[in-house]
């Protein structure tokens, strides 16, 4: 199966009931490089402005989008060809951000473990966890200890779901969904 | 020591550091190489600590930052705060668009994580 078709099928198959029947705010698939990241954030902002959403919602979406896209970019750096998709929908006072990207199978357990650990944190302790990890990460050179992932959970108040599915002998396909109620 | 200025881009802050004590950061920070962008800023602040001005005003008008930039901002603010050991008074101003509670929250997170007292200043 063509990888782009695979990604689009995965994301659209996971559309939330609230979003059914409504045009998405944004659905983009392709390869992700640094230029594309910056462009995507600007594109997301312009689409949100067109919807006349409040400045707060636009800021929140940009912050969450940045975390999602940068996480995908980080994992794409380990691959020769990194495939990425992002889907954003704003319906009925809910913002849905979903992304899908390929992840090396060898990197999957670490990512899975981080997500699992963060998901166990009570919602009212997410800010505390974020601040703690930020302080601890300052003098480290080996990554952010999942700070971006914690930020996604914290800023969406824990409304994050994720999934890994097998794509090939070397790759898994990773999807993450962040829901933000406004 | 000279003043320091970097023009903002679509993915990096506008940074203005004046040896007289006015320091400002504005825009977005998601540069491709955060270290390459932030290290000169950090080094300038570390140099400032040697002979800091009596009053330092830090103005932050930030749209969004990635997590690596957040780490650097945390570190930069800690270094600025160390100027108080040499008698400097430091004022931290967090500017945000009126009604943008999310950027206000981002500032509050910075305030909480750094243990510094921010002035939150909405603009229309």
């Amino acid at each position: 199966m063509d990888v782009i078709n695979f990604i689009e099928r995965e994301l659209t198959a996971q559309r939330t009931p609230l979003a059914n029947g409504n045009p998405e705010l944004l659905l983009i698939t392709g390869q992700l490089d640094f230029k594309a990241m910056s462009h995507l954030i600007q594109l997301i902002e312009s689409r949100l402005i067109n919807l006349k959403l409040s400045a707060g919602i636009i800021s929140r979406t940009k912050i969450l989008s940045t975390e999602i896209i940068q996480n995908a970019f980080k994992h794409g750096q380990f691959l020769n060809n990194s495939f990425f998709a992002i889907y954003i929908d704003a319906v009925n006072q809910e913002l849905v951000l979903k992304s899908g990207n390929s992840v090396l199978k060898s990197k999957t357990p670490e990512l899975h473990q981080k997500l699992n650990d963060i998901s166990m944190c009570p919602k009212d302790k997410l800010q505390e966890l974020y601040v703690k990890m930020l302080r601890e990460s300052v003098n480290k050179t080996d990554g952010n200890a999942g700070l971006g992932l914690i930020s996604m959970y914290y800023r969406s108040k824990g409304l994050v779901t994720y999934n890994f599915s097998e794509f090939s002998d070397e790759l898994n396909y990773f999807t993450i969904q962040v829901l933000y109620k406004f | 020591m000279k003043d320091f200025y970097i023009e903002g881009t679509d993915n990096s802050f506008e940074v203005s550091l004046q040896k007289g004590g006015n320091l400002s950061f504005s825009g977005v920070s998601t540069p491709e190489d955060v270290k390459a962008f932030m290290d000169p800023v950090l080094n300038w602040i570390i140099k400032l600590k040697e002979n800091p001005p009596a009053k330092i005003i830090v103005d932050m008008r930030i749209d969004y930052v990635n997590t690596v930039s957040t780490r650097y901002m945390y570190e930069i603010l800690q270094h600025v705060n160390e100027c108080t050991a040499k008698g400097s008074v430091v004022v931290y101003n967090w500017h945000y668009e009126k009604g943008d509670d999310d950027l206000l929250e981002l500032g509050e997170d910075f305030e909480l994580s750094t243990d510094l007292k921010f002035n939150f200043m909405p603009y229309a």
Side-chain angles (χ1 to χ4, degrees):
Chain A
M1 179 189 297
D2 174 72
V3 70
I4 297 298
N5 285 337
F6 177 86
I7 288 171
E8 287 189 359
R9 192 197 65 177
E10 286 282 311
L11 286 189
T12 51
Q14 293 171 27
R15 287 189 90 177
T16 57
L18 275 174
N20 279 344
N22 293 285
E24 62 270 356
L25 185 60
L26 183 122
L27 171 60
I28 288 178
T29 58
Q31 288 191 308
L32 185 64
D33 59 18
F34 181 76
K35 262 189 174 176
M37 277 202 304
S38 299
H39 177 69
L40 268 176
I41 300 293
Q42 287 168 30
L43 186 62
I44 289 165
E45 181 175 14
S46 68
R47 297 271 174 98
L48 293 167
I49 289 170
N50 285 344
L51 281 182
K52 298 186 171 26
L53 295 174
S54 72
I57 295 165
I58 293 172
S59 293
R60 176 73 53 130
T61 310
K62 283 195 295 184
I63 291 167
L64 287 168
S65 303
T66 302
E67 301 296 359
I68 284 176
I69 294 167
Q70 294 226 325
N71 183 61
F73 180 70
K74 180 182 159 187
H75 284 279
Q77 288 179 314
F78 298 113
L79 307 171
N80 289 329
N81 292 304
S82 61
F83 298 101
F84 170 75
I86 187 164
Y87 164 90
I88 301 178
D89 216 341
V91 183
N92 296 346
Q93 309 299 304
E94 284 190 341
L95 192 81
V96 185
L97 295 97
K98 291 193 255 188
S99 78
N101 59 280
S102 39
V103 178
L104 275 175
K105 279 187 174 172
S106 59
K107 297 282 180 187
T108 300
E110 183 188 356
L111 178 59
H112 203 162
Q113 185 65 51
K114 280 180 182 173
L115 285 160
N116 191 50
D117 290 347
I118 300 165
S119 66
M120 303 294 278
C121 180
K123 288 178 187 176
D124 60 350
K125 299 286 182 189
L126 283 166
Q127 186 188 37
E128 199 176 304
L129 178 66
Y130 175 77
V131 168
K132 176 177 177 282
M133 297 310 289
L134 172 60
R135 287 173 173 166
E136 289 179 1
S137 71
V138 166
N139 293 317
K140 288 184 180 172
T141 54
D142 55 344
N144 292 310
L147 194 58
L149 299 173
I150 296 168
S151 176
M152 285 182 215
Y153 273 83
Y154 164 45
R155 300 197 188 285
S156 67
K157 298 180 172 57
L159 296 173
V160 178
T161 53
Y162 60 92
N163 184 53
F164 293 93
S165 54
E166 186 166 2
F167 183 72
S168 70
D169 289 344
E170 292 184 336
L171 299 176
N172 279 331
Y173 181 70
F174 169 64
T175 53
I176 189 162
Q177 174 177 298
V178 181
L179 196 66
Y180 170 48
K181 294 176 186 290
F182 55 86
Chain B
M1 189 177 186
K2 293 180 179 174
D3 291 348
F4 181 100
Y5 179 77
I6 306 175
E7 194 171 350
T9 71
D10 289 342
N11 53 51
S12 60
F13 279 153
E14 178 184 71
V15 180
S16 174
L17 310 174
Q18 296 176 7
K19 59 183 186 293
N22 290 318
L23 317 180
S24 75
F25 302 85
S26 60
V28 305
S29 183
T30 59
E32 188 165 15
D33 187 344
V34 180
K35 183 175 166 54
F37 182 84
M38 288 291 198
D39 271 355
V41 178
L42 195 56
N43 290 335
W44 192 95
I45 300 288
I46 289 169
K47 190 82 179 159
L48 183 76
K49 283 198 304 184
E50 293 172 8
N51 188 21
K55 185 167 186 180
I56 298 173
I57 300 173
V58 183
D59 285 299
M60 294 165 280
R61 188 177 292 218
I62 292 172
D63 287 338
Y64 60 93
V65 291
N66 63 9
T67 48
V68 186
S69 301
T70 303
R71 285 168 56 190
Y72 269 94
M73 280 304 294
Y74 176 89
E75 200 172 348
I76 285 166
L77 293 176
Q78 293 295 336
H79 281 295
V80 172
N81 193 50
E82 286 171 17
C83 293
T84 58
K86 290 197 174 179
S88 298
V89 173
V90 186
V91 176
Y92 302 91
N93 297 325
W94 182 271
H95 303 267
Y96 66 101
E97 189 175 338
K98 193 175 178 182
D100 191 338
D101 294 338
D102 293 79
L103 279 188
L104 172 61
E105 185 185 88
L106 189 66
E108 288 170 345
D109 291 339
F110 265 111
E111 182 186 46
L112 183 66
S113 60
T114 53
D115 281 331
L116 302 171
K117 177 77 183 80
F118 282 21
N119 299 313
F120 291 99
M121 308 177 81
Y123 61 87

